[in-house]
Amino acid sequence: MTSTADRPSSTPTWTISVRDDTGPIVLGGLRTSWAPLAKQTIIAALIVGAAVGSTFSPWLEVTDAPLMWSGVAIALLGLVFAAVAVRSSAAMRVELLVPAIDFFAVGFLRFGTGDAASVFTAIVVLPVVWVAANPGRRHVVWPVLGTTGTLLLSYAISPTEPRPSELVRLFIVVFVFGATAAVTNELARQAGLQLAAVQRRRRVAEGEIDRAALVQQSLLPTTAAGLPGELRAVGVCIPARTVGGDFYDWFPTPDGAAFTLGDVMGKGVGAGMIAAAVRSLIRSTVDESDPAVAVRRAATGLATGTSDLTSGQFTTCFHVRVDRDGHARWVDAGHGLTVLRSVDGTVRPLRSAHLPIGVGTSWTAEDTVLEPGDVIVAVSDGVLDLFGGDLDSLDRFEAWVAERDHPQKVVDGIAELAHADEHPDDVTVLCVGYVP
């Protein structure tokens, strides 16, 4: 979000980006459009391997080579159909035709490699599981019918009177594979219910995060209301996630105005809540002339909590109060990323050796006199990542600031760099200009 105090008519913008890397979701589980091709590739490979092994192995029997290779051809036909299906949404709707074809392929393979004595009958479990994993009890019936058809195909090809033992074998095999289909279907149903519950919780969480982002947006200043005419302010906050731990703020004081930039350790909603608390505590010292009092009050306010939210957290902060005559009193709580750009283009740091809020216990303010045209530029450490993120990034950033003679150019330039690529940390900049 970008806010300007010297352009009250500007409209703030806030961009929320949610990345979803889960891929296409269907009831019954997660899958990609390539899943049918992958499944059919495995089945076809087993059927081809069975035929080749039976042809060249002395321990495997081939009773009808043409029908055996017919089963191979049918399996390869299913592979071609699956390859077409992954590129066509219409074909995906009839995806289950592929395992239906496989029942015939296994039936021909079984008849050609010894019929009832074939060692490859178990391959039929793969299309059984494929079909049964789909939602709906009807997907238990189809595998049972497919298995029955696979076993009866030999009687259709070569009609004979089945022996009682073969009928018992048929009943047991169909029962076992039917039970396998029922168990698979139930597991898929349970997985679908769990997935739906997770999706509901995810939607609730995303809604809460979106509301937290709107609240955080509302806390950033957007207008020049109440600021003295001698002071100009512009800032931008671009969180790495929907909600960030950075913030900037300004508000009028009896003698001028106060300006703050804070960076809470971490990212996300927790850091955003601490940022809001620090901002509110600093604002509560509007009548205090010493900015160190504001930092101490923020530290005291956070120290009274005993929850895990604030435990081990710290906040770096730069807080400055500027009078109408250009007298600036500032305190640096472990921040160290604020510079003063003079009207002649020189840049010098405004930093101290004080510790961050949540670590240190004592802070003192320092004084700086601003000349007309001077600009205070405070940034979060995420800005340094835009300049390489190494030991020399601060020097490069200061040289970059020296080349820009207007606060708006600094803010717009940082925003452009941040939006040019993904940034791992929140990016925030606050510029305060003295224009008497």
Side-chain angles (χ1 to χ4, degrees), residues 327-344:
H327 177 227
R329 298 198 71 193
W330 54 272
V331 60
D332 180 85
H335 192 65
L337 297 177
T338 303
V339 298
L340 174 63
R341 186 195 185 279
S342 301
V343 68
D344 61 1

Side-chain angles (χ1 to χ4, degrees), residues 7-32:
R7 300 189 305 167
S9 62
S10 64
T11 302
T13 60
W14 184 269
T15 301
I16 298 176
S17 175
V18 180
R19 292 184 301 239
D20 187 353
D21 299 325
T22 58
I25 297 179
V26 294
L27 185 61
L30 300 177
R31 70 178 184 185
T32 68

Side-chain angles (χ1 to χ4, degrees), residues 68-217:
M68 179 185 70
W69 291 109
S70 296
V72 171
I74 293 174
L76 295 177
L77 177 63
L79 185 63
V80 172
F81 185 84
V84 173
V86 300
R87 293 176 173 83
S88 171
S89 58
M92 284 295 294
R93 290 195 290 268
V94 291
E95 169 199 333
L96 293 184
L97 286 178
V98 179
I101 291 174
D102 290 331
F103 285 117
F104 288 97
V106 175
F108 281 112
L109 174 68
R110 175 177 179 267
F111 185 83
T113 56
D115 198 8
S118 176
V119 298
F120 302 116
T121 305
I123 296 178
V124 78
V125 74
L126 297 180
V128 165
V129 172
W130 185 342
V131 177
N134 288 269
R137 295 304 185 186
R138 67 183 184 279
H139 291 112
V140 176
V141 177
W142 299 128
V144 172
L145 296 178
T147 302
T148 303
T150 297
L151 299 178
L152 293 179
L153 185 61
S154 59
Y155 296 105
I157 297 172
S158 178
T160 59
E161 184 68 25
R163 297 189 301 274
S165 60
E166 290 300 315
L167 295 177
V168 173
R169 181 200 300 271
L170 173 64
F171 174 78
I172 293 176
V173 171
V174 170
F175 178 81
V176 170
F177 283 116
T180 302
V183 171
T184 301
N185 186 262
E186 178 61 21
L187 291 176
R189 189 182 72 86
Q190 294 293 335
L193 294 176
Q194 294 176 8
L195 176 62
V198 169
Q199 289 176 319
R200 286 193 297 270
R201 290 194 293 269
R202 175 179 174 178
R203 286 192 293 269
V204 171
E206 288 177 348
E208 293 176 350
I209 291 174
D210 289 342
R211 287 190 290 272
L214 293 176
V215 171
Q216 189 175 56
Q217 171 193 2

